[in-house]
Amino acid sequence: MKRLQIWDLYSLFVIALIKIVSGFPSPLPKNLTVKGIALASYHFSRKKRRNIEKNLSQAFDGKLAEHQRREIVKGAFYEFWRETFSRRPTRQERAVLKSVEIKGVEHLHRALKNGRGVILWESNALGRRNLTK
C-alpha cells in the first residue's frame, strides 16, 4: 500500500477548499480566496517566481522594468489559481453559464450526423475556459 505523501495532503486541501468556497451563493468568497492564495504563492514560491522572472527577462531581452516583470509574474500566479478554482463554479456562476448561447453547434451536429469528423479547438488564449469545461 502506498503511503500518504505531503503532496497528497496538499492536493486534498486544495480540492476541499475549492468545494467549500464554491458552495457559497456569491462568488465573492471564492474570488477573495483566489487572490489570497495567489499572493501567498507568489511570495512563498521563490524558486518558481525567480524562474518565471528569468524567463521573462530572456524573452524581453531585459527590456522590462522590474515593476512590469513583477506585475506579470503576480498576474501569472493569479491566473493559475483563478483557473484552478473555476473548475467548480458557484451557483451564481452556473446560472450565468446556463444562459450563454453557443453559436455554430448545429453545424457540428450536422457534420457528425453526415459521418464527417469535427475538430474542437480549445485554447485559453481566448479567455477563461468555463464554457468548454
Side-chain angles (χ1 to χ4, degrees), residues 4 10 22 34-36 39 46 50 55-57 69 85 87 89 107 109 121 125:
L4 199 60
Y10 169 79
S22 296
V34 167
K35 285 181 183 180
L39 189 61
R46 186 184 328 196
R50 287 186 177 159
N55 291 337
L56 271 174
S57 291
R69 192 173 59 241
F85 273 70
R87 297 187 187 286
H107 174 75
H109 287 299
W121 179 14

Side-chain angles (χ1 to χ4, degrees), residues 37-104:
I37 290 176
L39 189 61
S41 297
Y42 173 80
H43 288 291
F44 291 120
S45 302
R46 186 184 328 196
K47 184 177 179 182
K48 181 181 275 189
R49 185 180 70 232
R50 287 186 177 159
N51 282 335
I52 296 170
E53 289 171 346
K54 184 182 98 176
N55 291 337
L56 271 174
S57 291
Q58 289 175 348
F60 287 93
D61 290 328
K63 294 177 184 168
L64 283 177
E66 185 178 337
H67 74 279
Q68 292 173 309
R69 192 173 59 241
R70 185 175 41 248
E71 289 306 310
I72 291 170
V73 175
K74 279 184 179 179
F77 278 91
Y78 174 75
E79 289 301 325
F80 171 81
W81 285 105
R82 185 176 78 156
E83 184 66 28
T84 299
F85 273 70
S86 74
R87 297 187 187 286
R88 185 175 174 106
T90 63
R91 276 185 257 151
Q92 188 178 23
E93 291 168 331
R94 281 193 300 269
V96 169
L97 289 173
K98 287 179 183 176
S99 68
V100 172
E101 179 186 348
I102 301 174
K103 297 181 180 180

Side-chain angles (χ1 to χ4, degrees), residues 110-122:
R110 263 195 321 276
L112 287 172
K113 187 177 177 183
N114 293 334
R116 297 187 187 131
V118 296
I119 297 173
L120 173 62
W121 179 14
E122 193 271 336

